[in-house]
Each structure stands twice: as structure tokens, then as C-alpha cells.
mmCIF file of all heavy atoms in Angstrom:
data_model
loop_
_atom_site.group_PDB
_atom_site.id
_atom_site.type_symbol
_atom_site.label_atom_id
_atom_site.label_comp_id
_atom_site.label_asym_id
_atom_site.label_seq_id
_atom_site.Cartn_x
_atom_site.Cartn_y
_atom_site.Cartn_z
ATOM 1 N N LYS A 1 -19.360 -40.252 0.069
ATOM 2 C CA LYS A 1 -19.318 -39.871 -1.363
ATOM 3 C C LYS A 1 -19.363 -38.361 -1.543
ATOM 4 O O LYS A 1 -19.882 -37.866 -2.548
ATOM 5 C CB LYS A 1 -20.484 -40.547 -2.106
ATOM 6 C CG LYS A 1 -20.465 -42.064 -2.037
ATOM 7 C CD LYS A 1 -21.667 -42.664 -2.753
ATOM 8 C CE LYS A 1 -21.677 -44.167 -2.652
ATOM 9 N NZ LYS A 1 -22.886 -44.770 -3.288
ATOM 10 N N ALA A 2 -18.875 -37.610 -0.572
ATOM 11 C CA ALA A 2 -18.924 -36.172 -0.629
ATOM 12 C C ALA A 2 -18.257 -35.645 -1.887
ATOM 13 O O ALA A 2 -17.176 -36.085 -2.286
ATOM 14 C CB ALA A 2 -18.262 -35.559 0.582
ATOM 15 N N SER A 3 -18.908 -34.674 -2.522
ATOM 16 C CA SER A 3 -18.326 -33.999 -3.695
ATOM 17 C C SER A 3 -17.446 -32.832 -3.316
ATOM 18 O O SER A 3 -16.597 -32.397 -4.108
ATOM 19 C CB SER A 3 -19.433 -33.513 -4.629
ATOM 20 O OG SER A 3 -20.110 -32.406 -4.030
ATOM 21 N N GLY A 4 -17.662 -32.306 -2.097
ATOM 22 C CA GLY A 4 -16.934 -31.093 -1.691
ATOM 23 C C GLY A 4 -17.568 -29.832 -2.233
ATOM 24 O O GLY A 4 -17.073 -28.752 -1.991
ATOM 25 N N GLY A 5 -18.715 -29.958 -2.923
ATOM 26 C CA GLY A 5 -19.348 -28.815 -3.559
ATOM 27 C C GLY A 5 -18.961 -28.707 -5.010
ATOM 28 O O GLY A 5 -18.017 -29.378 -5.477
ATOM 29 N N PRO A 6 -19.620 -27.831 -5.804
ATOM 30 C CA PRO A 6 -19.297 -27.749 -7.247
ATOM 31 C C PRO A 6 -17.833 -27.445 -7.507
ATOM 32 O O PRO A 6 -17.160 -28.149 -8.272
ATOM 33 C CB PRO A 6 -20.197 -26.618 -7.716
ATOM 34 C CG PRO A 6 -21.363 -26.655 -6.782
ATOM 35 C CD PRO A 6 -20.787 -27.038 -5.446
ATOM 36 N N ASP A 7 -17.315 -26.368 -6.935
ATOM 37 C CA ASP A 7 -15.888 -26.035 -7.134
ATOM 38 C C ASP A 7 -15.013 -27.097 -6.481
ATOM 39 O O ASP A 7 -13.967 -27.482 -7.022
ATOM 40 C CB ASP A 7 -15.577 -24.666 -6.575
ATOM 41 C CG ASP A 7 -16.181 -23.571 -7.421
ATOM 42 O OD1 ASP A 7 -15.900 -23.463 -8.618
ATOM 43 O OD2 ASP A 7 -16.971 -22.768 -6.852
ATOM 44 N N GLY A 8 -15.426 -27.570 -5.312
ATOM 45 C CA GLY A 8 -14.656 -28.605 -4.620
ATOM 46 C C GLY A 8 -14.524 -29.887 -5.408
ATOM 47 O O GLY A 8 -13.516 -30.597 -5.258
ATOM 48 N N SER A 9 -15.479 -30.153 -6.272
ATOM 49 C CA SER A 9 -15.438 -31.402 -7.061
ATOM 50 C C SER A 9 -14.210 -31.435 -7.997
ATOM 51 O O SER A 9 -13.742 -32.514 -8.335
ATOM 52 C CB SER A 9 -16.714 -31.545 -7.869
ATOM 53 O OG SER A 9 -16.785 -30.593 -8.913
ATOM 54 N N VAL A 10 -13.710 -30.258 -8.357
ATOM 55 C CA VAL A 10 -12.524 -30.189 -9.212
ATOM 56 C C VAL A 10 -11.315 -30.712 -8.449
ATOM 57 O O VAL A 10 -10.426 -31.385 -9.028
ATOM 58 C CB VAL A 10 -12.296 -28.762 -9.726
ATOM 59 C CG1 VAL A 10 -11.105 -28.699 -10.661
ATOM 60 C CG2 VAL A 10 -13.538 -28.243 -10.432
ATOM 61 N N PHE A 11 -11.274 -30.458 -7.164
ATOM 62 C CA PHE A 11 -10.175 -30.954 -6.302
ATOM 63 C C PHE A 11 -10.357 -32.441 -6.040
ATOM 64 O O PHE A 11 -9.391 -33.201 -6.080
ATOM 65 C CB PHE A 11 -10.161 -30.189 -4.973
ATOM 66 C CG PHE A 11 -9.816 -28.727 -5.094
ATOM 67 C CD1 PHE A 11 -10.787 -27.801 -5.514
ATOM 68 C CD2 PHE A 11 -8.554 -28.276 -4.778
ATOM 69 C CE1 PHE A 11 -10.468 -26.477 -5.606
ATOM 70 C CE2 PHE A 11 -8.228 -26.935 -4.903
ATOM 71 C CZ PHE A 11 -9.196 -26.018 -5.324
ATOM 72 N N VAL A 12 -11.588 -32.853 -5.792
ATOM 73 C CA VAL A 12 -11.878 -34.282 -5.535
ATOM 74 C C VAL A 12 -11.442 -35.103 -6.698
ATOM 75 O O VAL A 12 -10.928 -36.236 -6.548
ATOM 76 C CB VAL A 12 -13.373 -34.455 -5.220
ATOM 77 C CG1 VAL A 12 -13.772 -35.939 -5.235
ATOM 78 C CG2 VAL A 12 -13.705 -33.851 -3.850
ATOM 79 N N ALA A 13 -11.626 -34.600 -7.911
ATOM 80 C CA ALA A 13 -11.212 -35.332 -9.098
ATOM 81 C C ALA A 13 -9.720 -35.617 -9.141
ATOM 82 O O ALA A 13 -9.261 -36.511 -9.859
ATOM 83 C CB ALA A 13 -11.620 -34.558 -10.371
ATOM 84 N N GLN A 14 -8.967 -34.880 -8.319
ATOM 85 C CA GLN A 14 -7.526 -35.078 -8.243
ATOM 86 C C GLN A 14 -7.128 -35.842 -6.982
ATOM 87 O O GLN A 14 -5.924 -35.922 -6.672
ATOM 88 C CB GLN A 14 -6.809 -33.738 -8.293
ATOM 89 C CG GLN A 14 -7.087 -32.924 -9.545
ATOM 90 C CD GLN A 14 -6.646 -33.654 -10.812
ATOM 91 O OE1 GLN A 14 -5.570 -34.255 -10.858
ATOM 92 N NE2 GLN A 14 -7.471 -33.606 -11.848
ATOM 93 N N GLY A 15 -8.069 -36.343 -6.241
ATOM 94 C CA GLY A 15 -7.816 -37.170 -5.092
ATOM 95 C C GLY A 15 -7.749 -36.449 -3.756
ATOM 96 O O GLY A 15 -7.360 -37.040 -2.736
ATOM 97 N N VAL A 16 -8.113 -35.166 -3.743
ATOM 98 C CA VAL A 16 -8.109 -34.412 -2.493
ATOM 99 C C VAL A 16 -9.290 -34.874 -1.607
ATOM 100 O O VAL A 16 -10.426 -34.910 -2.106
ATOM 101 C CB VAL A 16 -8.217 -32.921 -2.774
ATOM 102 C CG1 VAL A 16 -8.290 -32.111 -1.454
ATOM 103 C CG2 VAL A 16 -7.007 -32.459 -3.587
ATOM 104 N N PRO A 17 -9.072 -35.167 -0.343
ATOM 105 C CA PRO A 17 -10.193 -35.530 0.565
ATOM 106 C C PRO A 17 -11.197 -34.371 0.677
ATOM 107 O O PRO A 17 -10.810 -33.191 0.556
ATOM 108 C CB PRO A 17 -9.487 -35.771 1.899
ATOM 109 C CG PRO A 17 -8.093 -36.120 1.553
ATOM 110 C CD PRO A 17 -7.772 -35.286 0.339
ATOM 111 N N ALA A 18 -12.448 -34.729 0.881
ATOM 112 C CA ALA A 18 -13.485 -33.716 0.942
ATOM 113 C C ALA A 18 -14.494 -33.993 2.051
ATOM 114 O O ALA A 18 -14.673 -35.170 2.446
ATOM 115 C CB ALA A 18 -14.205 -33.631 -0.408
ATOM 116 N N MET A 19 -15.156 -32.939 2.500
ATOM 117 C CA MET A 19 -16.279 -33.059 3.388
ATOM 118 C C MET A 19 -17.377 -32.121 2.857
ATOM 119 O O MET A 19 -17.080 -31.101 2.273
ATOM 120 C CB MET A 19 -15.891 -32.678 4.819
ATOM 121 C CG MET A 19 -14.895 -33.634 5.457
ATOM 122 S SD MET A 19 -14.471 -33.163 7.145
ATOM 123 C CE MET A 19 -13.375 -34.536 7.568
ATOM 124 N N THR A 20 -18.605 -32.527 3.088
ATOM 125 C CA THR A 20 -19.750 -31.709 2.612
ATOM 126 C C THR A 20 -20.755 -31.614 3.752
ATOM 127 O O THR A 20 -21.212 -32.603 4.291
ATOM 128 C CB THR A 20 -20.428 -32.330 1.390
ATOM 129 O OG1 THR A 20 -19.481 -32.380 0.318
ATOM 130 C CG2 THR A 20 -21.632 -31.519 0.939
ATOM 131 N N LEU A 21 -21.157 -30.383 4.061
ATOM 132 C CA LEU A 21 -22.244 -30.114 4.995
ATOM 133 C C LEU A 21 -23.446 -29.729 4.166
ATOM 134 O O LEU A 21 -23.535 -28.656 3.591
ATOM 135 C CB LEU A 21 -21.835 -28.955 5.921
ATOM 136 C CG LEU A 21 -20.720 -29.318 6.954
ATOM 137 C CD1 LEU A 21 -20.132 -28.053 7.540
ATOM 138 C CD2 LEU A 21 -21.279 -30.235 8.044
ATOM 139 N N HIS A 22 -24.407 -30.664 4.089
ATOM 140 C CA HIS A 22 -25.554 -30.500 3.211
ATOM 141 C C HIS A 22 -26.619 -29.600 3.861
ATOM 142 O O HIS A 22 -27.104 -29.838 4.966
ATOM 143 C CB HIS A 22 -26.222 -31.834 2.917
ATOM 144 C CG HIS A 22 -25.424 -32.706 2.000
ATOM 145 N ND1 HIS A 22 -25.470 -32.608 0.622
ATOM 146 C CD2 HIS A 22 -24.552 -33.732 2.241
ATOM 147 C CE1 HIS A 22 -24.684 -33.507 0.077
ATOM 148 N NE2 HIS A 22 -24.117 -34.198 1.043
ATOM 149 N N GLN A 23 -27.011 -28.570 3.118
ATOM 150 C CA GLN A 23 -28.091 -27.691 3.537
ATOM 151 C C GLN A 23 -29.436 -28.223 3.034
ATOM 152 O O GLN A 23 -29.495 -28.970 2.063
ATOM 153 C CB GLN A 23 -27.865 -26.267 3.030
ATOM 154 C CG GLN A 23 -26.624 -25.610 3.597
ATOM 155 C CD GLN A 23 -26.093 -24.503 2.708
ATOM 156 O OE1 GLN A 23 -25.782 -24.754 1.540
ATOM 157 N NE2 GLN A 23 -25.952 -23.307 3.242
ATOM 158 N N ASP A 24 -30.484 -27.831 3.717
ATOM 159 C CA ASP A 24 -31.838 -28.159 3.256
ATOM 160 C C ASP A 24 -32.159 -27.297 2.048
ATOM 161 O O ASP A 24 -32.290 -26.071 2.138
ATOM 162 C CB ASP A 24 -32.847 -27.885 4.401
ATOM 163 C CG ASP A 24 -34.243 -28.380 4.064
ATOM 164 O OD1 ASP A 24 -34.637 -28.390 2.865
ATOM 165 O OD2 ASP A 24 -34.980 -28.756 4.991
ATOM 166 N N GLY A 25 -32.250 -27.954 0.905
ATOM 167 C CA GLY A 25 -32.473 -27.214 -0.343
ATOM 168 C C GLY A 25 -33.888 -27.318 -0.848
ATOM 169 O O GLY A 25 -34.119 -27.161 -2.052
ATOM 170 N N SER A 26 -34.834 -27.551 0.035
ATOM 171 C CA SER A 26 -36.235 -27.792 -0.397
ATOM 172 C C SER A 26 -36.771 -26.655 -1.241
ATOM 173 O O SER A 26 -37.506 -26.877 -2.182
ATOM 174 C CB SER A 26 -37.121 -27.998 0.810
ATOM 175 O OG SER A 26 -36.730 -29.151 1.562
ATOM 176 N N ASP A 27 -36.409 -25.420 -0.870
ATOM 177 C CA ASP A 27 -36.933 -24.269 -1.650
ATOM 178 C C ASP A 27 -35.837 -23.509 -2.395
ATOM 179 O O ASP A 27 -36.112 -22.475 -3.022
ATOM 180 C CB ASP A 27 -37.670 -23.282 -0.733
ATOM 181 C CG ASP A 27 -36.794 -22.629 0.321
ATOM 182 O OD1 ASP A 27 -35.579 -22.995 0.381
ATOM 183 O OD2 ASP A 27 -37.253 -21.747 1.041
ATOM 184 N N TYR A 28 -34.620 -24.047 -2.419
ATOM 185 C CA TYR A 28 -33.492 -23.352 -3.044
ATOM 186 C C TYR A 28 -33.770 -23.071 -4.538
ATOM 187 O O TYR A 28 -33.502 -21.973 -5.030
ATOM 188 C CB TYR A 28 -32.233 -24.195 -2.882
ATOM 189 C CG TYR A 28 -30.995 -23.650 -3.554
ATOM 190 C CD1 TYR A 28 -30.388 -22.479 -3.066
ATOM 191 C CD2 TYR A 28 -30.424 -24.281 -4.650
ATOM 192 C CE1 TYR A 28 -29.236 -21.980 -3.677
ATOM 193 C CE2 TYR A 28 -29.263 -23.796 -5.232
ATOM 194 C CZ TYR A 28 -28.688 -22.641 -4.737
ATOM 195 O OH TYR A 28 -27.533 -22.167 -5.330
ATOM 196 N N PHE A 29 -34.352 -24.052 -5.215
ATOM 197 C CA PHE A 29 -34.571 -23.880 -6.650
ATOM 198 C C PHE A 29 -35.846 -23.128 -6.987
ATOM 199 O O PHE A 29 -36.222 -22.989 -8.125
ATOM 200 C CB PHE A 29 -34.526 -25.241 -7.336
ATOM 201 C CG PHE A 29 -33.136 -25.833 -7.394
ATOM 202 C CD1 PHE A 29 -32.752 -26.821 -6.520
ATOM 203 C CD2 PHE A 29 -32.187 -25.307 -8.262
ATOM 204 C CE1 PHE A 29 -31.465 -27.355 -6.537
ATOM 205 C CE2 PHE A 29 -30.907 -25.822 -8.301
ATOM 206 C CZ PHE A 29 -30.540 -26.840 -7.443
ATOM 207 N N ASP A 30 -36.511 -22.614 -5.957
ATOM 208 C CA ASP A 30 -37.577 -21.642 -6.199
ATOM 209 C C ASP A 30 -36.994 -20.294 -6.620
ATOM 210 O O ASP A 30 -37.627 -19.533 -7.347
ATOM 211 C CB ASP A 30 -38.430 -21.402 -4.939
ATOM 212 C CG ASP A 30 -39.311 -22.589 -4.577
ATOM 213 O OD1 ASP A 30 -39.344 -23.599 -5.345
ATOM 214 O OD2 ASP A 30 -39.937 -22.562 -3.517
ATOM 215 N N TYR A 31 -35.763 -20.029 -6.165
ATOM 216 C CA TYR A 31 -35.153 -18.717 -6.334
ATOM 217 C C TYR A 31 -33.896 -18.731 -7.216
ATOM 218 O O TYR A 31 -33.481 -17.692 -7.719
ATOM 219 C CB TYR A 31 -34.756 -18.133 -4.973
ATOM 220 C CG TYR A 31 -35.830 -18.231 -3.948
ATOM 221 C CD1 TYR A 31 -35.746 -19.096 -2.853
ATOM 222 C CD2 TYR A 31 -37.008 -17.463 -4.075
ATOM 223 C CE1 TYR A 31 -36.768 -19.156 -1.908
ATOM 224 C CE2 TYR A 31 -38.012 -17.527 -3.147
ATOM 225 C CZ TYR A 31 -37.898 -18.383 -2.057
ATOM 226 O OH TYR A 31 -38.923 -18.481 -1.150
ATOM 227 N N HIS A 32 -33.346 -19.887 -7.399
ATOM 228 C CA HIS A 32 -32.078 -20.103 -8.098
ATOM 229 C C HIS A 32 -32.016 -19.441 -9.477
ATOM 230 O O HIS A 32 -32.875 -19.708 -10.319
ATOM 231 C CB HIS A 32 -31.865 -21.604 -8.232
ATOM 232 C CG HIS A 32 -30.602 -22.054 -8.808
ATOM 233 N ND1 HIS A 32 -30.517 -22.646 -10.070
ATOM 234 C CD2 HIS A 32 -29.332 -22.073 -8.337
ATOM 235 C CE1 HIS A 32 -29.300 -22.992 -10.316
ATOM 236 N NE2 HIS A 32 -28.544 -22.672 -9.294
ATOM 237 N N HIS A 33 -31.083 -18.524 -9.679
ATOM 238 C CA HIS A 33 -30.850 -17.883 -10.976
ATOM 239 C C HIS A 33 -32.031 -17.026 -11.452
ATOM 240 O O HIS A 33 -32.275 -16.896 -12.661
ATOM 241 C CB HIS A 33 -30.531 -18.939 -12.048
ATOM 242 C CG HIS A 33 -29.213 -19.633 -11.819
ATOM 243 N ND1 HIS A 33 -28.720 -20.585 -12.704
ATOM 244 C CD2 HIS A 33 -28.310 -19.576 -10.816
ATOM 245 C CE1 HIS A 33 -27.583 -21.043 -12.252
ATOM 246 N NE2 HIS A 33 -27.312 -20.440 -11.095
ATOM 247 N N THR A 34 -32.777 -16.453 -10.496
ATOM 248 C CA THR A 34 -33.883 -15.579 -10.854
ATOM 249 C C THR A 34 -33.712 -14.195 -10.236
ATOM 250 O O THR A 34 -32.891 -14.023 -9.334
ATOM 251 C CB THR A 34 -35.238 -16.137 -10.345
ATOM 252 O OG1 THR A 34 -35.303 -15.943 -8.926
ATOM 253 C CG2 THR A 34 -35.414 -17.592 -10.704
ATOM 254 N N PRO A 35 -34.514 -13.214 -10.655
ATOM 255 C CA PRO A 35 -34.504 -11.912 -9.987
ATOM 256 C C PRO A 35 -34.905 -12.003 -8.496
ATOM 257 O O PRO A 35 -34.692 -11.067 -7.747
ATOM 258 C CB PRO A 35 -35.540 -11.105 -10.794
ATOM 259 C CG PRO A 35 -35.568 -11.734 -12.125
ATOM 260 C CD PRO A 35 -35.379 -13.218 -11.844
ATOM 261 N N ASN A 36 -35.508 -13.146 -8.135
ATOM 262 C CA ASN A 36 -35.971 -13.322 -6.767
ATOM 263 C C ASN A 36 -34.919 -13.847 -5.785
ATOM 264 O O ASN A 36 -35.209 -14.106 -4.622
ATOM 265 C CB ASN A 36 -37.164 -14.315 -6.772
ATOM 266 C CG ASN A 36 -38.251 -13.928 -5.818
ATOM 267 O OD1 ASN A 36 -38.251 -12.844 -5.252
ATOM 268 N ND2 ASN A 36 -39.215 -14.826 -5.597
ATOM 269 N N ASP A 37 -33.676 -13.998 -6.267
ATOM 270 C CA ASP A 37 -32.573 -14.392 -5.381
ATOM 271 C C ASP A 37 -32.063 -13.130 -4.670
ATOM 272 O O ASP A 37 -31.108 -12.482 -5.129
ATOM 273 C CB ASP A 37 -31.469 -15.093 -6.168
ATOM 274 C CG ASP A 37 -30.292 -15.495 -5.274
ATOM 275 O OD1 ASP A 37 -30.371 -15.279 -4.023
ATOM 276 O OD2 ASP A 37 -29.307 -16.056 -5.789
ATOM 277 N N THR A 38 -32.703 -12.807 -3.569
ATOM 278 C CA THR A 38 -32.441 -11.538 -2.857
ATOM 279 C C THR A 38 -32.314 -11.796 -1.361
ATOM 280 O O THR A 38 -32.660 -12.869 -0.849
ATOM 281 C CB THR A 38 -33.571 -10.540 -3.141
ATOM 282 O OG1 THR A 38 -34.843 -11.169 -2.942
ATOM 283 C CG2 THR A 38 -33.517 -10.022 -4.578
ATOM 284 N N LEU A 39 -31.847 -10.775 -0.681
ATOM 285 C CA LEU A 39 -31.472 -10.890 0.760
ATOM 286 C C LEU A 39 -32.623 -11.347 1.636
ATOM 287 O O LEU A 39 -32.388 -12.050 2.636
ATOM 288 C CB LEU A 39 -30.929 -9.557 1.236
ATOM 289 C CG LEU A 39 -30.436 -9.486 2.680
ATOM 290 C CD1 LEU A 39 -29.243 -10.412 2.889
ATOM 291 C CD2 LEU A 39 -30.090 -8.052 3.060
ATOM 292 N N ASP A 40 -33.842 -10.983 1.319
ATOM 293 C CA ASP A 40 -34.975 -11.340 2.193
ATOM 294 C C ASP A 40 -35.197 -12.853 2.265
ATOM 295 O O ASP A 40 -35.942 -13.340 3.141
ATOM 296 C CB ASP A 40 -36.276 -10.680 1.705
ATOM 297 C CG ASP A 40 -36.558 -10.976 0.252
ATOM 298 O OD1 ASP A 40 -35.723 -10.655 -0.613
ATOM 299 O OD2 ASP A 40 -37.626 -11.539 -0.035
#
């Protein structure tokens, strides 16, 4: 049921095959869209 990612989902909606490599997002939303989304 891969989405292909957010942008990839636009292609999937048109029948394009997709693959998704899922990352561990346990702490991703600690930083998402904040000033704390930095290189460190």
C-alpha cells in the first residue's frame, strides 16, 4: 500500500507503481515545521 511519499502520491493516484522506504519517525514531529529543524 505504498504511497510513494507526499509528492509521489500524486503519481500513484494516476496508477504509477510506487515503492516507499519508511524511516523511523519517532522524533520527526518534535522538530517538524519549527525553528528547531536544523542540521544538528
Side-chain angles (χ1 to χ4, degrees):
K1 300 177 181 178
S3 70
D7 290 301
S9 68
V10 182
F11 294 79
V12 168
Q14 300 300 318
V16 176
M19 294 181 177
T20 298
L21 290 164
H22 288 277
Q23 294 156 304
D24 188 329
S26 298
D27 65 354
Y28 177 68
F29 289 103
D30 289 355
Y31 312 111
H32 183 251
H33 294 183
T34 73
N36 218 11
D37 180 2
T38 49
L39 183 63
D40 55 301

